[in-house]
Amino acid sequence: SNKGTIKKGDVQMNKIEQKETAVLDNFAVTLTRVEASLDKMDTTEGRMKAFFGQEKAIVAMRKAIRELKHESKLEGTWDGLLEGGIDDDVAFAEKGKGRALIRIDRILTQLDKTLETMDDDDNSRLKAWFEQRKALHEIRKILFHMDMYDAFDEDEISMLMD
């Protein structure tokens, strides 16, 4: 009887799922740190640290997703994970961590495209910060719907615009 045996593919998938979980957990910790730095924005030095901390977090997330794609060879299978769309946060969160990572990857790709269109002046630095902030807000929202992040405020972006 094969009952109780684990197929090689199942073990591999388990490793992929473990890596996905570790990456998403790391994102949650990173975002918590970014939020803590934002609480210290009352000084110029604090604002600079918050801005660079936010950029550093985004770079780290891009790197983690790129490494996971490579390690798990998900690049060829991501389209299959996307069936049913990726725009409904709750629906794809229920479909698994791979889909959440795909959504985060898309958010970061869109952020890159937006940042590439900006001029290099003082206003664009503020705009870049705000665009990064919106992207991180969307990532926190994903993690929140997956019960991996607690401190999510749906109205954060609208409050920043007031």
Side-chain angles (χ1 to χ4, degrees):
S1 161
N2 286 340
K3 192 175 170 186
T5 60
I6 300 174
K7 295 180 209 151
K8 188 175 181 182
D10 291 341
V11 171
Q12 184 64 31
M13 194 56 173
N14 239 352
K15 288 179 184 178
I16 291 168
E17 288 171 1
Q18 287 172 355
K19 288 178 183 180
E20 289 170 350
T21 299
V23 166
L24 290 167
D25 283 340
N26 188 2
F27 287 2
V29 169
T30 299
L31 289 169
T32 301
R33 282 192 207 123
V34 168
E35 290 306 305
S37 73
L38 290 174
D39 292 339
K40 300 173 184 155
M41 285 186 55
D42 53 346
T43 65
T44 301
E45 181 182 352
R47 285 189 291 275
M48 293 301 290
K49 282 184 181 178
F51 180 76
F52 289 119
Q54 187 170 281
E55 281 195 339
K56 186 177 174 183
I58 290 167
V59 168
M61 288 180 193
R62 280 189 197 109
K63 181 180 178 190
I65 288 173
R66 189 172 51 247
E67 288 173 357
L68 185 62
K69 276 180 168 180
H70 177 73
E71 285 178 41
S72 62
K73 296 178 177 60
L74 274 178
E75 287 183 88
T77 62
W78 279 31
D79 289 339
L81 288 170
L82 292 174
E83 288 173 10
I86 60 166
D87 293 326
D88 180 353
D89 298 310
V90 177
F92 79 79
E94 291 171 354
K95 300 273 183 175
K97 294 175 174 90
R99 288 183 78 173
L101 286 162
I102 292 166
R103 176 88 186 272
I104 292 169
D105 186 39
R106 294 242 172 119
I107 290 167
L108 294 174
T109 300
Q110 184 59 48
L111 172 64
D112 289 342
K113 290 177 183 175
T114 301
L115 295 177
E116 285 173 10
T117 64
M118 292 186 178
D119 297 327
D120 195 22
D121 61 19
D122 288 338
N123 278 343
S124 66
R125 278 185 245 155
L126 181 59
K127 289 177 189 172
W129 176 84
F130 186 69
E131 291 300 323
Q132 289 173 342
R133 193 86 197 120
K134 287 190 333 190
L136 292 177
H137 176 79
E138 289 302 311
I139 294 167
R140 282 195 306 278
K141 184 177 179 181
I142 292 166
L143 295 173
F144 175 77
H145 284 296
M146 297 183 74
D147 294 325
M148 299 181 85
Y149 191 83
D150 295 328
F152 176 72
D153 181 0
E154 185 74 47
D155 299 323
E156 172 201 16
I157 297 300
S158 60
M159 287 188 300
L160 286 173
M161 295 177 79
D162 290 342

